[in-house]
Amino acid sequence: MSENSQFRFGAATGVGSMPGGDAREAVKTVTGSFEDFPFLPELPARGPGADMIGRTAGMLVELYARVEPSGWRIGDRPGRDTKRARSWLGEDLDALEEYTQGYEGPLKVQAVGPWTLAAQLELRNGEVALSDPGACRDLAASLAEGLRLHLAEVSRRVPGARLVLQLDEPSLTDVLRGRVRSASGYRTHRAVDRQLVESGLRDVFEVHDGGQVVVHSCAPDVPFALLRRAGAQAISFDFSLLTERDDETIGEAVESGTRLFTGVVPGTDGPLSDPAGSVMGVRTLWRRLGLRPGLLAEAVTVTPACGLAGASPQYARTAYAHCVRAAKSLADNPE
């Protein structure tokens, strides 16, 4: 195992989004559920600016975005949408500070990564930033500076925490395979060179120098090897989307010290199996890869498959408690 593995991640945590619009209630649920690995919740039900893209757009430095009928578009100055996004983030941070007094341990914060942001944020001409290499560079630089300020603010409010930065990259595979649609919808933007994608990610990861970075995607075909080369210490994914084609890269990732955030609990309301049943697939994967069972607790954090924005508040609480119990099952019975 590499020195990355010496950092103590918690055994279970959430992905990011939650139902409802009450920041204090959301943070209370998170800190009560994940005592050793809480996270800063996102509440997209509040509307534009609380959604994944809008929240991160509000963090950008010297770039501003507003809501158009087609989505978020870069503009000339901060408007009401930017102000709303920043106001809600401030509200969330106030709640986090209130419920983490004296906390010492890993604490996760989430933002959209540079390539998903480039695939979603529109330029003034209506095409996404991905269509313009210069715009992609400017966007990544603005994001890096915004994340630096955000991490510093969270550190100031929760001084005992060891921050984990999660970058959400659900569009990354589409960017790599040339599947991001143009504004007209009749064509797709050209695939971005893998080395350029890797370099862009690395530049943003470096903003959290010395800290832990996890990349999350609940899309199929997560590029594990690329993310590892770019410097991600952990990769978060929907476990149900794995295929045996992923075995080799996952085995290499675990052996190099990369943490796996295995999304094994459904993200929307429905019946749950017993906790041991939820992680049965993880144990099966371990056996298939020939990995040491005792490594499971060191290498795996249990999460929902994706964010819980579409779930009911009651299910969110149940799902989080289930993640904690499933992680305990893995640790207690790794075989």
Side-chain angles (χ1 to χ4, degrees):
M1 300 288 282
S2 75
E3 62 186 53
N4 290 334
S5 63
Q6 294 169 10
F7 177 91
R8 299 295 296 177
F9 286 101
T13 192
V15 172
S17 67
M18 293 181 66
D22 186 328
R24 292 181 76 255
E25 186 60 36
V27 173
K28 182 180 176 184
T29 296
V30 164
T31 53
S33 301
F34 302 115
E35 294 177 4
D36 62 350
F37 198 2
F39 64 94
L40 177 64
E42 300 160 348
L43 302 172
R46 291 182 294 197
D51 60 297
M52 187 171 82
I53 298 298
R55 185 182 184 90
T56 301
M59 296 180 191
L60 297 176
V61 173
E62 295 181 2
L63 279 180
Y64 311 103
R66 64 178 186 272
V67 179
E68 297 286 341
S70 54
W72 283 89
R73 182 172 296 182
I74 293 171
D76 298 319
R77 64 181 78 82
R80 66 181 182 189
D81 297 320
T82 299
K83 290 172 184 169
R84 188 189 299 122
R86 291 176 177 174
S87 172
W88 274 326
L89 180 57
E91 207 176 282
D92 296 342
L93 289 169
D94 288 344
L96 183 73
E97 184 176 5
E98 178 183 348
Y99 283 98
T100 53
Q101 293 292 310
Y103 175 73
E104 295 182 354
L107 170 66
K108 183 164 69 70
V109 297
Q110 305 84 217
V112 176
W115 294 107
T116 294
L117 205 57
Q120 299 291 331
L121 261 186
E122 298 173 359
L123 301 175
R124 291 174 182 83
N125 65 3
E127 289 293 353
V128 290
L130 192 69
S131 64
D132 181 337
C136 288
R137 287 193 295 273
D138 291 346
L139 190 56
S142 173
L143 174 63
E145 185 55 32
L147 289 173
R148 184 178 287 113
L149 295 172
H150 179 54
L151 290 165
E153 176 66 8
V154 179
S155 288
R156 185 185 68 77
R157 288 171 178 261
V158 195
R162 287 168 292 137
L163 297 187
V164 175
L165 172 63
Q166 175 180 305
L167 293 173
D168 294 319
E169 283 283 15
S171 299
L172 186 58
T173 302
D174 286 346
V175 168
L176 288 165
R177 296 188 177 177
R179 295 196 303 224
V180 176
R181 294 208 162 273
S182 65
S184 68
Y186 293 122
R187 62 182 182 85
T188 56
H189 295 290
R190 194 184 326 181
V192 181
D193 181 80
R194 296 181 81 86
Q195 287 186 316
L196 188 60
V197 169
E198 188 180 319
S199 167
L201 287 168
R202 190 179 296 113
D203 288 347
V204 176
F205 293 175
E206 285 174 357
V207 77
H208 196 30
D209 188 30
Q212 303 292 307
V213 176
V214 51
V215 177
H216 168 73
S217 173
C218 45
D221 300 320
V222 176
F224 288 93
L226 183 151
L227 294 173
R228 194 162 55 83
R229 288 195 305 271
Q233 285 86 16
I235 300 171
S236 170
F237 55 96
D238 180 344
F239 190 84
S240 71
L241 298 178
L242 286 186
T243 69
E244 292 196 17
R245 290 197 313 271
D246 298 306
D247 280 8
E248 187 177 343
T249 52
I250 288 180
E252 288 170 357
V254 172
E255 287 174 348
S256 71
T258 305
R259 184 94 176 181
L260 303 182
F261 282 41
T262 55
V264 296
V265 177
T268 51
D269 293 44
L272 295 173
S273 69
D274 65 293
S278 290
V279 287
M280 189 183 301
V282 181
R283 290 193 183 93
T284 302
L285 171 68
W286 234 243
R287 283 195 295 272
R288 203 164 67 227
L289 296 177
L291 293 168
R292 181 168 55 85
L295 194 59
L296 269 170
E298 297 173 37
V300 171
T301 292
V302 176
T303 73
C306 210
L308 298 183
S312 66
Q314 176 58 45
Y315 178 80
R317 287 189 291 272
T318 302
Y320 288 159
H322 193 83
C323 287
V324 172
R325 288 196 294 270
K328 187 172 188 313
S329 167
L330 265 189
D332 291 348
N333 303 294
E335 303 283 356

